């Protein structure tokens, strides 16, 4: 029992600084020898150079090869909504140039000629498909002109549906994704992003062809 009592009262060894620092130093050396996945991912991500966004407003931009960035085809009954959309697009930092028939068509010009010229002088064409659009023969005429101008051009024709059922979506456009104008503010932003995306891709293609 005496040896057991002495064992109970034996003082604990005091921890030395070297003893306490050795585990941390060994762990730190282990960490440095084998970097954690998070560190390696961060390191690898910093090595990736971000893809530069083309400056569509630069003086040499192919954007300026046409008079308008977007031509908006709409029925006369949707003029108030279209004017609101045009005001939004033209007030953005990019100052997108919109063709609005009642505002920009030359007085005295033939309607068919004005519509064809609007399509040819614009980069993108927005079709605001409403019940009025579907009833208006001139809206369909302009839609066909746009499709004939560049039938396979990705992103140039932008269908926007408002108050129209999916089954009424024109057959000519069914190979294209459309924007649903359920929430006006969201759809305005989507239209802007679609036009910008096309113009940026146009600039990239132009730069790569020059190289």
């Amino acid at each position: 029992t005496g040896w057991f009592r002495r064992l109970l009262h034996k003082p604990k060894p005091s921890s030395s600084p070297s003893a306490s620092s050795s585990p941390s130093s060994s762990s730190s050396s282990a960490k440095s020898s084998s970097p954690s996945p998070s560190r390696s991912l961060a390191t690898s991500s910093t090595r990736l150079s971000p893809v530069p966004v083309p400056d569509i407003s630069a003086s040499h931009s192919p954007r300026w090869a046409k008079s308008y960035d977007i031509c908006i085809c709409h029925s006369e009954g949707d003029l108030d909504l279209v004017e609101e959309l045009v005001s939004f697009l033209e007030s953005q930092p990019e100052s997108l140039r919109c063709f609005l028939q009642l505002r920009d068509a030359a007085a005295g010009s033939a309607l068919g000629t004005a519509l064809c010229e609007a399509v040819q002088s614009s980069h993108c064409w927005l079709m605001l498909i409403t019940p009025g659009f579907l009833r208006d023969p001139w809206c369909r005429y302009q839609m066909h002109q746009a499709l004939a101008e560049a039938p396979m051009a990705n992103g140039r024709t932008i269908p926007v549906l408002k108050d129209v059922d999916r089954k009424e979506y024109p057959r000519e456009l069914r190979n294209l994704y459309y924007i649903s104008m359920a929430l006006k503010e969201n759809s305005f932003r989507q239209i802007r992003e679609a036009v910008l995306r096309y113009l940026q891709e146009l600039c990239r293609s132009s730069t790569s062809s020059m190289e």
Side-chain angles (χ1 to χ4, degrees):
T1 58
W3 66 268
F4 184 71
R5 189 178 295 109
R6 287 195 302 270
L7 181 62
L8 291 176
H9 292 284
K10 187 177 180 179
K12 295 181 180 180
S14 59
S15 58
S16 62
S18 60
S20 62
S21 60
S22 58
S24 61
S25 61
S26 62
S27 61
S28 62
S29 63
K31 289 181 180 177
S32 60
S33 62
S34 59
S36 63
S38 60
R39 178 183 297 182
S40 61
L41 287 174
T43 305
S44 61
S45 64
T46 56
R47 292 175 184 172
L48 297 175
S49 57
V51 178
V53 178
D55 182 8
I56 62 172
S57 298
S59 58
H60 59 277
S61 170
R63 174 189 182 188
W64 309 119
K66 292 185 178 291
S67 302
Y68 300 98
D69 298 314
I70 182 169
C71 171
I72 302 177
C73 178
H74 65 95
S75 70
E76 190 172 347
D78 299 314
L79 181 59
D80 290 343
L81 176 61
V82 171
E83 287 180 337
E84 190 175 352
L85 171 62
V86 168
S87 177
F88 171 81
L89 295 175
E90 292 181 340
S91 66
Q92 294 301 301
E94 304 81 14
S95 299
L96 293 176
R97 300 165 301 160
C98 302
F99 177 86
L100 190 57
Q101 180 185 342
L102 294 179
R103 182 190 68 179
D104 300 315
S109 60
L111 182 57
T113 302
L115 294 179
C116 289
E117 290 178 350
V119 168
Q120 294 170 358
S121 59
S122 301
H123 286 292
C124 298
W125 313 298
L126 183 141
M127 307 293 161
L128 181 59
I129 302 171
T130 63
F133 180 100
L134 298 175
R135 293 191 299 266
D136 191 335
W138 286 111
C139 288
R140 286 194 168 272
Y141 175 81
Q142 194 168 8
M143 177 182 68
H144 291 148
Q145 288 298 317
L147 293 174
E149 181 74 15
M152 301 302 292
N154 188 25
R156 293 194 73 177
T157 302
I158 307 171
V160 179
L161 266 63
K162 183 178 185 298
D163 301 330
V164 170
D165 293 334
R166 168 71 178 174
K167 62 183 179 181
E168 297 177 286
Y169 187 42
R171 292 183 178 273
E172 300 90 332
L173 301 175
R174 288 190 180 178
N175 63 324
L176 301 175
Y177 286 110
Y178 63 86
I179 295 172
S180 176
M181 193 173 281
L183 295 175
K184 184 170 61 177
E185 292 78 9
N186 289 346
S187 60
F188 280 14
R189 285 193 293 268
Q190 286 179 295
I191 293 167
R192 170 180 173 265
E193 290 168 4
V195 177
L196 292 179
R197 187 162 52 245
Y198 176 81
L199 293 176
Q200 289 166 0
E201 186 57 37
L202 180 68
C203 290
R204 289 193 187 98
S205 301
S206 176
T207 303
S208 60
S209 62
M210 291 175 61
E211 294 174 351

